[in-house]
Structures are given as C-alpha cells and as structure tokens.
Amino acid sequence: MKSFTKVAMASLLGLAVLSTTAYADVAKGQKLYTKKLKSLCKTSGAKFAASYTQMEWETAKDEGKLTEAFTEACPGGEEMFKGDKFKNKYESHIYDFVYEYASDSGNVPSC
Amino acid sequence: MIKNLTLISALALFSTTAFAADDVQVQIDDMKKQIEKLEKSQKSTKKSLSKVKSATGGDNIKFGVDFRNAVDVLEYKNNETGETASNSSLLSSRLYLDMAASPMKGLIFKGRLAIYSMWGAHLNYTGAKGTDSAGLKDWSASSKATDTVMRVKEAYFVYSNSLGEQPVSFSIGRRPSTNGFLANYRENEPKSGSPLAHITNMEVNAAMVKLSWDRFIEGAYTKFVYGRAHTGEIENVYGIGTNTPYATVDGDDKNVDFFVMPGNAYDDGQYQVMYQWAHIFNTKGQKYNDPTTKKAAAGTADLFSVGLKVDGIGDEWSDFLDETTVFVSGAYTYYNAKDGYQLLNSDPGGSQSGSSVWVGAIIPDMITENGKFGFEYNHGSKYWTPMTWAEDTAIGSKIAVRGDAYEAYWNFDLFGVKYLPSQVRYTYAQHDYTPNVRCAGWVPIKEEDITASDLRFAVSYRY
C-alpha cells in the first residue's frame, strides 16, 4: 500500500509540474470584479458582463479596445482600466469573466 | 504665348481628368468585385447559420461535464481494542452532467445529473450482505437492459425580479445545497453551493425566496428555504391491500420538513460573513430506551452557524497574500426531544447540544501556475451533530467529527491544463466519541478512541 501511495504521489507531482501554462480564469475574473470593480461600477458583475455580446467583447479584445469597452460598461472604473497593473494582472481574467457571462451567452454568474 | 499656355493647361487638365476618371472607374470596379465577394460570403454565412439553426434550434439547454476519477487509501484504528481496518485502493468515478439555460432575462434553470460509482461495484450496492443485485456490476449495468435509473443531484429554476426597490428571487427544485460555503476549497471546486457547509451539506428538495439587501449592506442577502428531507410512511403506491395509494399512515414515521435561513451578512469580495439557521421538524430519534423504535419522529433540531472568509490578505501587499484565503467558522447544534422520546441519548423530552469550530487556510503552492495548498482543522464536541451526509469524504464527514480532524490538500491543474483540475488530499480524524458517520439522532453517543484517515488522489476533466 505504502509503495502504491508513494508511486501515485510522485506521479501526480511529476505530472503537475511537467507543464505549467498561464490561463485566464472565469472564476478568478468574477472574484476580481467583486473585489476590485463592483464598488467602482456600482452594478453587479452579471450586469457588467451583459453590457455586450460575446462577439462585441471579442472584437474589442482583438482590436485592442478592451479598455474603452470596459470603461463604457463601467465609467467609474476608467482610471483602473487604464492602469498598467490592471492590464498586466487582471484584464485577461476579467475578459474571461465578461465573455463567459456576456448578454447573449445564456450564462448567469450565480443562482 | 498666352494662347499656347492656355492650350497646354487645357490639355493638362483634360489628361488629368481622363486619368482621374480612369482611376475612379478602377475603384468602382474594385468595389463591385468586393461587393460580389461580400454577397457570396453573406450567402455562405446565411447557409451556415441555417444549418446551425436547424441543428441546434431545439436545444434549450447547455451541457457541461465534470468527470472525476479517484483513488482513496483508507485506514481505521480503534485505539482501545487495537482493531484495524483498511482499504488500499478504493477506486471511484464520478460524472456530473451539468445543465444550464437562461431563456429570458431573470429566469435560469440549472441541473446536474450524477453518477458516482466504485469501480467493479455491484448495481445498487450498499456494502451490506445480500445487497448484490442479480450479479449486475457497474461495468455491465449500462450494457444490459435493466431499469430506468438516472440520478438527479440538482434541478431547479430561479426567477428574479423586483418588488418596487426590493430585488426578489424565487426558486424551487433540487437545490444546489451540497459543498456550500467554505467546503468548495477541499472539493477543489471554484464556487461553493448555497448553504453553510458547516451545518448542512446534503441534497434537498425545497422552495426558496431570496431577498437582497445589497442596497443597504454590500453583498447582503437572506434566503428563506422550506423543504422536505423525508416522506413519512404512506400507503403503498400501487394500492395493494388498500385503495388509498400515497395516503399518510399514522405513526412515528412522519414527514421530516425543514426551514433553513442562510444569508450573507456582508460580502465585498474580500471579506465575507455568512450565517445560517436551520430548523428540522420531526427529526429522527427513538422512544426513550427503546432502540426498536429508531428513526421515529422524536422532536426538533436547530442548527446555527456563522462563518468569516477573507479572500486575499491585505490590499495588494504581495501576490502571495492576494491569492491566500483564510476562514473561520463556528457552529452549534441543539436537538430537543419531545415527551417520551430521546435524541442523541438525551433524557425523555430532554435536549442535547453540541458545538464545533472549523478553520482553514488556502495558499498558493508556488510550484504550479494556479495550484493551491489547503490546510483545515475541525473540532466537534460530544453531541455535535450537523447534517453533512453529502460531504464527499470516504471515511465519513470530517466536519461532523466529535473530536478533531486535520486535513491538508493540494489542488492543481494536471499538465498545467485548467480543464484537468486534480487533487491530492489527506484527511485525518480522531474520534473521541461515537463517529458521526450517519449524522443520526437515534445513535447513542459514547466515548471512543478511533482514528481514521483517507488519502485521496483525484484527477478530473471539467469543461
């Protein structure tokens, strides 16, 4: 049993660190919205995300106009959206969140 | 001279105009070609869209999958008698088929179909002697014509609207009542279920009304939930020997209904305080000193809990602290027997109360991109009896421990792929009193010295 446990543990550890890829995260984006933006936007994450359709969010991202789109959806957060920290650290997660819960996504953040 | 100049100018103007006209014509031709291309493209898009519509037009639900395979290594020891028991490899598969739909603004449906099986298990296996059913195993049950069993873990809709300025939500069905507040970390799930997992973690059918107080206090709301956990004795459904199918039968096996009031006192995304009161009617115990009457409606139970979660320490002090979560939760249970009955070996008509604390910390693993280490500790008193049947711990609910439980886990993405969330988890429980495995009011409680441990390796596909 002990050898089995050790082998399983070692295998999982090896597999886990074999490759690490940075992914944006919907749940993280939702958490960041509540924590950093809700008070600035004065609206729920669901409403913020539903400001645009998935295609509109995607187009804004592709054209490098996410800051403008975010600002239009939440004028109170303009300063934050323009900051380097937001762009480097939060933007991808917030994008994943808004795309997941866009107006035409048929998804809702919580029950 | 002037005439010559005029002539030259006129010629120049004419040639320029001619060239400009040629240029415009070229542009028009280009535009025509582009329009033709666009028309073709639009036709093609329309055709594709029609195909997509005809293929998916009747699909009113979205599906997602959570498929987990796990091995649990279990150890038990009675430190008084020296008896031991173990299982070196409990292999299991769990498939959740998640459903969601939002046909209009303010209305959602969610559902979860579930299969949770041991590898090589008999169909309808309970572990008790004589429960093997007709030789059917889990690897043949889906390949042979048998029955119509499909399990529903969740199925509910929520309708949200406002009464004046008051946002109101209404829901009914099999609620998202498992792995609630704080339990999602140990289950490696990104979101928690609805209630406080410290006192209730079970599948329930109920109706819910939610009132949001967010306009007064950030993130605040209260839910009012009423449901039924047990249908009391009824006439048989085919009316055999009677003509009154489903009619209730007088006796001690009564309906067990519950009223639960979970809520958020405050939630700004970093600090979250949740509370819950649960009242259970006709909770099951027994007549005083008469074990033959176990599972009788013996009184009521009240369960209370308050929990604080801090998601991120400080305000951007460091990435490590930003990604760290800590929590503390306290809970109290009070079982009150009616005259002539007892709950948790109380006096006739007496009561028993228990309490528990639960603390935890979840920190970045600093090895993988999104991996986390979690550490939790639970302590429960002698009569601590929450309702945590759905807690997914093979050795029994660690939150319900009457003694101490320690737990450490590592949640990470296999191969760094976010669709393959995986976990290594070790749970150790020291039972100072009768293990609360069944969370049952008729089981007498006495001093024990039993230890149990569960080492789990789990790999999931989730998308």
Side-chain angles (χ1 to χ4, degrees), chain A residues 111, chain B residues 104-109 157-162 168-172 208 210:
Chain A
C111 69
Chain B
M104 57 174 271
K105 196 180 172 188
L107 179 62
I108 61 164
F109 166 82
F157 71 83
V158 185
Y159 176 67
S160 301
N161 210 326
S162 296
V168 181
S169 296
F170 169 75
S171 170
I172 193 162
M208 182 277 292
K210 176 185 171 185

Side-chain angles (χ1 to χ4, degrees), chain B residues 362-376:
Chain B
I362 299 93
I363 60 171
D365 67 3
M366 295 174 291
I367 304 170
T368 62
E369 182 64 29
N370 292 314
K372 295 277 177 79
F373 288 129
F375 305 94
E376 296 186 10

Side-chain angles (χ1 to χ4, degrees), chain B residues 85-104:
Chain B
S86 65
N87 187 338
S88 62
S89 58
L90 173 67
L91 303 171
S92 63
S93 290
R94 191 192 69 183
L95 174 68
Y96 288 158
L97 202 52
D98 291 325
M99 303 173 285
S102 182
M104 57 174 271

Side-chain angles (χ1 to χ4, degrees), chain B residues 171 173 175 177 194-195 204-210 222-228 257-262 276-279 281:
Chain B
S171 170
R175 300 270 308 142
S177 51
S194 180
V204 300
N205 298 301
M208 182 277 292
V209 172
K210 176 185 171 185
T222 307
K223 291 179 179 177
F224 303 90
V225 185
Y226 193 92
R228 177 160 297 167
D257 287 1
F258 56 85
F259 174 72
V260 183
M261 206 174 77
Q276 182 174 309
W277 166 47
H279 180 82
F281 302 90

